[in-house]
Amino acid sequence: MNPSERRVPDVPPLLNQTLKLDGQTRTADSLQLLAEAGVLLGSSLDYEATLAALTRLAVPRLADWCSLDILGEDGVVRLLAVAHVDPAKVKWAHELRRRYPPDPKDPHGIHEVIRTGHSSLLADIPDELLVAGSRDAEQLRIARELGLRSALTVPLTARGRTFGALSLVTAESGRRFTPADMALAEQLAGRAALAVDNARLYTNAVRAEERFRSLIHATAQAVWVTLPDGEVFEDSPTWRAFTGQSREEYHGYGWLAVVHPEDQERVRRGWQAARAIRQPYEVEMRVCRPDGSWAVTLSRAVPMLDAQGQVREWIGTTTDITAQRRAEETSRRLESEQRARQLEALRAEVSEVLSREDTPSRLMQACAEVMVRNLPLPLVQLWTFNREAQLLLLEGNAGPAAPLSAVPSRLELGQTLVGSVGQSRQPQRVNDLPADPRLRSRVWAESNGLVSFLGAPLLVRGQLVGVLAVFGQLPLEEETLATLSTVADAVAQGLERRRAEVSLQEHARELARSNEELQQFAYVASHDLQEPLRMVASYTQLLARRYKGKLDADADEFITYAVDGVNRMQQLIQDLLAYSRVGTRGHEFKPIDSGQALGKALANLKALVDETGATIIQGKLPQVMVDETQLTQLFQNLVGNALKFRGQRPPRVLVEAERQDNEWRFTVEDNGIGIEPQYYERIFVIFQRLHGKEEYPGTGIGLAICKKIVERHGGRIGLDSQPGQGTTFWFTLPAIPTPSTSGTTP
């Protein structure tokens, strides 16, 4: 016989019949199990409780252990249920899961099954597999005590998504799983997954319906239907509840009666236009509520078309948006208040910076830094305008996009965006910066993400003093431009004020240097000049005494001229010293009786008064806060001036004072030769004389000294005169403040 034709021994008829019966029994058991599972899974929408019952259904018919894991929405796999014939072991299984959670990297574990959606079958679990899968000796000991023999894990998949796994394990029974068992388990898991998915869909649908109903209840909304021509014909309970109108009242176009009179015409025209073009209609209007209040509503209507494209009816809703509009108005008001507070804080901080004693350049840099801190801007620049050079100079440059090598430090008017603002002297806003042809460097703008520009001129009394420029990474609103324009005004005023202060300080320093030089001159005059003059005077006087009459007449005349010149030079130096020392050698101001100061001045002038036969009349003179020595000199110069420039009549001088508000007005009136009006200002200038020295001696410094003394005391000096009739010199001095005697009124 050919070996290839060797026959397999026939199966005994009895054994063959037994195998057929076992297969039929297992098939029947499987069908029975699936049927029971189907009934169980369809009995409740509480899928967690149902799945827990399913694990109990599988024990011990399919396995000694059955567990079910679910992937939560947070991505964490958790044990939903576990079953065993021994309840004590069930608690133990939960404890083991807590102590030894599944390893996500286990190639046969539940994480791998859920991740891949493929079943895992371990027909045998050898000891070396237990050793490899145990994390410590205790876990290995427990696994060996359980006596695990075989295991399979199948996925729970529905609509292409795996969200769990069903695990079956044998131990005590010693049974080993086969591919047929895995197929049965997959059928069971598939039905369980479908039940879970249906339950979840139902739950989500219920929740969606609840949210929808809650939204409907929470929204004050009326629903209505009209004919194609726009007339209302169906009853609308929601409209009746919303407005309080009856069906008869709002039928046709009666619903317009509850629309605010100011809105009716606009609403009617809009409705007619929408019907004419058969397009959706939307309008905001005020509607009267049953309590008489006006509700702001939003009405929408949509045309429903038939098969021929004709309007069958209009379906519309009217929604109460009063609360929304109030909230929006409140939000706008709060935003406006916040912007106002932000602007005020910014202006206050800018004002504080501008009040510092610093150079204008440093102040501009500090202002730019303040604006960057208060406003979300990547770059703020402050340019000052140099009028002489006609250039804009970069003084402040702050923000994440600074410093900038691409931005020049000086610009001509009209050059780039900044120069354009300076040239036009008008605010400018650009929200497409890279496309603007005035931009100097598009690469720089794009590398810094800059898309917008705002520029505001710095103006003082219409004159340009600089430019405020800001760059943004988002479009800038017109309101931002208005805000920055306000800040620009503050910066401009502060910059100009600081420039004036710096100029004044420089002028004061120059004046101080001039005064110092004047004092030095006074020192030289009082020491170095007078000494040789005294020697010249002595020798000329000696020549006059020794040789008078011994030489010819010309020599005597020449000697007389020399002596007179020396005397006048000495007097000039003395007067110059007196003039220079008014502001530098003055004494402290004290309350002084001005009448006593006049008395001292007249005592110094006694010889001249007696010589001229003058009459001095003294009125009531007040107490003033002055330097007594200088006030005496002031009276002496003015009275002496009146006696010097006397006429043919004997001199008569009247000195008196009158209170005017917060000062005293003193007058020194004479009956002398008078002064022409064109010389009123000239006579107070040093070295200015109206007459020759032969007519009236003097150096032309006396009245200049008077002016300087009065101004040192915070007063003014002037005169009134009529030629040939006399002159009245007047000057003012501040009055000494006195406590108010008036009481307070309730």
Side-chain angles (χ1 to χ4, degrees):
M1 179 180 295
N2 193 327
S4 62
E5 298 177 357
R6 187 178 302 168
R7 297 178 57 190
V8 179
D10 294 334
V11 178
L14 181 59
L15 178 58
N16 189 29
Q17 183 177 3
T18 302
L19 291 175
K20 290 182 179 180
L21 291 175
D22 289 343
Q24 294 174 356
T25 301
R26 289 180 183 176
T27 302
D29 289 343
S30 299
L31 294 175
Q32 180 64 28
L33 178 62
L34 293 175
E36 292 179 11
V39 173
L40 176 64
L41 294 171
S43 63
S44 174
L45 291 173
D46 184 356
Y47 70 89
E48 292 191 0
T50 302
L51 292 178
L54 180 63
T55 60
R56 294 192 295 271
L57 182 65
V59 175
R61 299 167 67 174
L62 286 181
D64 300 318
W65 293 90
C66 181
S67 63
L68 202 146
D69 292 90
I70 294 293
L71 178 64
E73 294 181 358
D74 55 359
V76 177
V77 176
R78 65 184 183 90
L79 180 62
L80 180 65
V82 63
H84 191 276
V85 292
D86 185 356
K89 289 189 176 183
V90 172
K91 295 182 180 180
W92 192 28
H94 282 286
E95 176 63 21
L96 287 175
R97 173 60 69 89
R98 185 187 66 79
R99 291 170 58 184
Y100 303 105
D103 184 2
K105 298 180 181 179
D106 185 356
H108 304 291
I110 58 175
H111 286 91
E112 181 69 14
V113 171
I114 294 175
R115 185 166 46 250
T116 63
H118 300 304
S119 301
S120 173
L121 172 62
L122 291 174
D124 292 294
I125 304 178
D127 188 68
E128 56 268 20
L129 186 60
L130 297 179
V131 173
S134 298
R135 301 178 189 176
D136 53 29
E138 178 64 16
Q139 186 179 8
L140 178 60
R141 184 189 63 79
I142 294 172
R144 285 171 173 171
E145 287 184 2
L146 289 175
L148 304 178
R149 293 290 180 267
S150 185
L152 66 85
T153 304
V154 295
L156 271 65
T157 303
R159 291 188 294 165
R161 175 175 173 269
T162 300
F163 55 85
L166 177 69
S167 300
L168 300 172
V169 180
T170 62
E172 297 91 340
S173 65
R175 179 181 174 185
R176 282 166 173 74
F177 291 121
T178 66
D181 295 320
M182 187 171 67
L184 176 61
E186 288 176 344
Q187 292 186 56
L188 187 62
R191 299 190 182 191
L194 183 60
V196 171
D197 191 54
N198 289 337
R200 285 181 170 177
L201 289 175
Y202 177 78
T203 301
N204 292 338
V206 170
R207 290 177 180 173
E209 183 180 359
E210 290 176 350
R211 286 195 295 268
F212 177 74
R213 291 184 180 278
S214 298
L215 181 62
I216 292 298
H217 288 304
T219 304
Q221 182 171 269
V223 181
W224 38 270
V225 179
T226 75
L227 294 171
D229 60 3
E231 292 190 13
V232 176
F233 73 97
E234 287 190 6
D235 183 27
S236 174
T238 54
W239 179 265
R240 285 192 277 108
F242 191 80
T243 63
Q245 282 187 308
S246 65
R247 180 176 182 180
E248 291 73 17
E249 289 174 331
Y250 69 76
H251 185 73
Y253 287 97
W255 54 273
L256 273 170
V258 295
V259 176
H260 196 283
E262 296 177 1
D263 299 341
Q264 287 184 8
E265 186 61 26
R266 174 174 56 84
V267 170
R268 186 197 305 275
R269 289 182 179 179
W271 181 224
Q272 291 174 348
R275 287 182 14 246
I277 62 177
R278 296 185 295 178
Q279 292 294 322
Y281 168 72
E282 182 175 303
V283 66
E284 188 173 308
M285 60 185 181
R286 288 167 288 180
V287 173
C288 186
R289 297 302 303 272
D291 60 0
S293 63
W294 293 98
V296 181
T297 66
L298 181 64
S299 290
R300 295 188 176 96
V302 179
M304 307 303 295
L305 306 180
D306 57 20
Q308 288 74 37
Q310 300 299 315
V311 177
R312 184 178 68 251
E313 61 185 7
W314 292 79
I315 298 179
T317 61
T318 298
T319 305
D320 189 349
I321 59 172
T322 304
Q324 176 183 340
R325 289 292 179 263
R326 288 175 180 171
E328 291 172 354
E329 179 62 28
T330 301
S331 177
R332 284 193 295 269
R333 186 176 67 254
L334 292 176
E335 289 178 0
S336 177
E337 293 174 355
Q338 183 178 3
R339 284 193 298 270
R341 288 192 297 268
Q342 183 183 32
L343 174 59
E344 187 60 32
L346 176 58
R347 292 182 61 183
E349 197 167 348
V350 167
S351 297
E352 188 276 328
V353 167
L354 293 172
S355 67
R356 299 174 187 170
E357 294 287 337
D358 211 336
T359 63
S361 178
R362 291 180 179 177
L363 293 180
M364 292 300 96
Q365 178 62 30
C367 286
E369 293 171 356
V370 164
M371 282 184 267
V372 168
R373 285 198 303 270
N374 284 271
L375 299 173
L377 295 170
L379 178 61
V380 173
Q381 293 180 334
L382 279 167
W383 300 73
T384 58
F385 181 57
N386 186 302
R387 294 188 181 93
E388 290 74 17
Q390 290 291 297
L391 289 174
L392 288 167
L393 307 179
L394 182 60
E395 303 282 7
N397 188 34
L404 307 169
S405 59
V407 175
S409 60
R410 55 181 59 202
L411 293 171
E412 296 180 0
L413 293 181
Q415 186 180 7
T416 76
L417 285 162
V418 175
S420 177
V421 174
Q423 185 178 53
S424 67
R425 289 165 171 74
Q426 295 293 328
Q428 295 187 22
R429 178 170 63 112
V430 176
N431 277 330
D432 190 8
L433 185 62
D436 197 294
R438 295 170 296 177
L439 181 64
R440 187 181 185 90
S441 174
R442 184 176 303 171
V443 174
W444 163 75
E446 292 176 347
S447 63
N448 287 279
L450 304 178
V451 301
S452 55
F453 166 83
L454 285 181
L458 306 181
L459 301 174
V460 176
R461 295 182 296 276
Q463 297 297 316
L464 182 70
V465 299
V467 172
L468 167 61
V470 303
F471 295 83
Q473 294 174 330
L474 295 173
L476 297 171
E477 300 177 355
E478 190 73 27
E479 188 173 0
T480 306
L481 179 59
T483 299
L484 289 176
S485 296
T486 304
V487 176
D489 290 340
V491 173
Q493 297 295 332
L495 174 61
E496 195 69 4
R497 182 175 63 252
R498 185 57 189 153
R499 281 178 170 176
E501 291 172 354
V502 171
S503 177
L504 183 61
Q505 290 171 359
E506 183 63 26
H507 181 70
R509 285 192 291 269
E510 289 293 333
L511 186 60
R513 284 194 294 269
S514 176
N515 286 336
E516 185 178 353
E517 292 172 357
L518 184 60
Q519 292 180 28
Q520 185 66 25
F521 165 76
Y523 176 82
V524 171
S526 62
H527 294 82
D528 298 346
L529 290 180
Q530 291 199 76
E531 183 60 30
L533 276 176
R534 280 194 294 268
M535 184 180 67
V536 172
S538 299
Y539 279 103
T540 52
Q541 290 170 1
L542 179 61
L543 286 171
R545 289 194 302 269
R546 180 173 297 181
Y547 297 103
K548 185 175 183 180
K550 297 180 180 181
L551 302 174
D552 57 15
D554 290 339
D556 291 341
E557 185 179 2
F558 295 158
I559 291 173
T560 301
Y561 288 157
V563 172
D564 181 62
V566 169
N567 290 335
R568 285 191 292 108
M569 178 63 75
Q570 284 182 323
Q571 184 60 47
L572 179 62
I573 291 174
Q574 292 296 331
D575 289 347
L576 279 173
L577 282 172
Y579 181 79
S580 68
R581 288 171 176 172
V582 169
T584 60
R585 296 289 183 89
H587 297 88
E588 181 183 358
F589 290 2
K590 295 180 180 179
I592 299 298
D593 184 348
S594 58
Q596 294 181 5
L598 176 61
K600 292 181 180 180
L602 294 178
N604 295 336
L605 295 171
K606 185 176 185 305
L608 184 57
V609 172
D610 294 342
E611 177 187 341
T612 59
T615 301
I616 308 298
I617 303 173
Q618 177 179 335
K620 186 177 180 180
L621 299 180
Q623 191 176 49
V624 288
M625 184 74 72
V626 295
D627 179 339
E628 183 178 11
T629 301
Q630 291 186 349
L631 180 60
T632 299
Q633 185 179 8
L634 176 61
F635 279 130
Q636 184 174 325
N637 286 4
L638 292 176
V639 174
N641 201 66
L643 299 178
K644 181 191 299 185
F645 297 98
R646 60 187 180 274
Q648 298 298 323
R649 296 171 294 175
R652 181 180 181 277
V653 181
L654 171 63
V655 181
E656 59 184 351
E658 179 185 7
R659 178 71 177 260
Q660 293 182 349
D661 297 328
N662 295 325
E663 61 184 14
W664 286 98
R665 189 175 191 271
F666 291 82
T667 56
V668 179
E669 180 182 348
D670 64 51
N671 60 346
I673 62 175
I675 302 174
E676 294 287 347
Q678 62 266 31
Y679 302 126
Y680 284 2
E681 295 296 330
R682 177 180 172 186
I683 61 174
F684 291 108
V685 179
I686 190 170
F687 299 136
Q688 294 297 314
R689 296 174 52 85
L690 304 183
H691 307 278
K693 61 181 182 297
E694 295 79 8
E695 298 179 75
Y696 298 97
T699 59
I701 299 178
L703 288 178
I705 292 175
C706 292
K707 185 174 186 294
K708 198 167 185 180
I709 290 174
V710 171
E711 290 179 347
R712 179 179 178 240
H713 288 78
R716 306 179 311 282
I717 189 170
L719 74 151
D720 298 310
S721 180
Q722 291 185 357
Q725 297 185 19
T727 301
T728 300
F729 282 91
W730 58 265
F731 63 90
T732 63
L733 294 175
I736 299 176
T738 57
S740 176
T741 57
S742 60
T744 58
T745 57

